[in-house]
Amino acid sequence: MVKAWYINDESVVNVEMVKRSERHLNPPQYVTLDELKRKIGVQTEWINVNKYKTVENLQKLSVQKGYNYWDIIDIENHVEKHASFYTEHMHNEPEVRLVLDGSGYFDVRDAEDKWIRVLVEKGDLLSFMAGGYHRLTLDSNNHLKLFRLFGSEPDWTSLNRPQDDHPVRIAYALQALNGF
Ligand SMILES: [Fe+2]
């Protein structure tokens, strides 16, 4: 089940150490799934992934959810990519990810530009709107296997912040003012 909370800002020396930890405020400040949806545009649900172990079943799940393309990525196998995932960025398309195994942190910015850390674990499906700033990291378990879903041909472009003049970013920011 997805859990989310505000984290301390980055003014740290050892980023590798802290990026994989919970980094709660003191006292902790949690964010509800409803707030995540309304304020940030992050939607979540839980899926019993044990029912979708074969390629055929994953294909069925993809179609059932309305997506035409998918792939699977093991983040620990992409150490060189890990740094780019953790660099704050946005996309032109929604980011839709189902955790097939392991766990990790999907950090998103709120309207006041504060970081919210979203813990995703096995079975969590997260979809985030195009134009929202975010980043991804492994947690201390060092294992995250993701099923990545796309509505159209996958666009792997990550647009690093700042993108404040980008039309997709502007559309996201305007929608965030009124809630999603
Ligand atoms: Fe992303």
Side-chain angles (χ1 to χ4, degrees):
M1 180 70 125
V2 169
K3 293 181 198 72
W5 57 85
Y6 280 97
I7 57 174
N8 286 307
D9 280 341
E10 321 243 315
S11 52
V12 291
V13 179
N14 191 340
V15 173
E16 277 304 316
M17 279 289 288
V18 300
K19 78 181 184 187
R20 297 177 185 226
S21 60
E22 294 185 345
R23 302 183 54 206
H24 278 288
L25 300 181
N26 186 16
Q29 190 182 343
Y30 287 93
V31 178
T32 66
L33 298 189
D34 185 53
E35 285 172 319
L36 266 188
K37 185 178 171 188
R38 283 187 297 105
K39 295 182 179 173
I40 319 291
V42 172
Q43 299 208 50
T44 60
E45 68 174 280
W46 189 82
I47 289 175
N48 183 359
V49 290
N50 291 332
K51 284 167 49 183
Y52 300 98
K53 292 205 164 171
T54 64
V55 167
E56 291 76 21
N57 284 343
L58 286 170
Q59 175 63 25
K60 275 186 204 161
L61 177 62
S62 170
V63 171
Q64 193 186 318
K65 291 290 176 189
Y67 297 101
N68 302 314
Y69 297 86
W70 59 268
D71 73 358
I72 292 171
I73 184 170
D74 273 306
I75 304 288
E76 70 269 40
N77 291 338
H78 290 77
V79 174
E80 73 286 356
K81 281 192 179 170
H82 195 201
S84 68
F85 289 144
Y86 197 64
T87 302
E88 184 173 2
H89 63 275
M90 57 159 268
H91 306 286
N92 287 317
E93 303 294 328
E95 180 153 324
V96 185
R97 305 286 184 262
L98 170 65
V99 181
L100 294 179
D101 204 11
S103 52
Y105 296 129
F106 189 88
D107 292 344
V108 294
R109 292 280 194 187
D110 78 354
E112 292 168 2
D113 219 25
K114 292 177 183 161
W115 279 117
I116 295 171
R117 177 145 281 191
V118 183
L119 168 66
V120 288
E121 298 175 293
K122 184 176 175 180
D124 289 330
L125 173 67
L126 178 148
S127 65
F128 187 36
M129 298 199 48
Y133 288 137
H134 63 279
R135 66 187 178 189
L136 176 76
T137 182
L138 295 162
D139 62 15
S140 54
N141 293 318
N142 198 33
H143 174 52
L144 180 62
K145 185 176 184 180
L146 291 174
F147 184 53
R148 304 191 289 190
L149 295 146
F150 308 91
S152 54
E153 194 106 19
D155 174 6
W156 299 111
T157 316
S158 283
L159 302 166
N160 289 346
R161 190 174 178 175
Q163 295 292 335
D164 296 343
D165 296 328
H166 192 292
V168 174
R169 174 64 197 169
I170 291 170
Y172 173 88
L174 283 175
Q175 213 174 335
L177 286 176
N178 299 315
F180 295 95

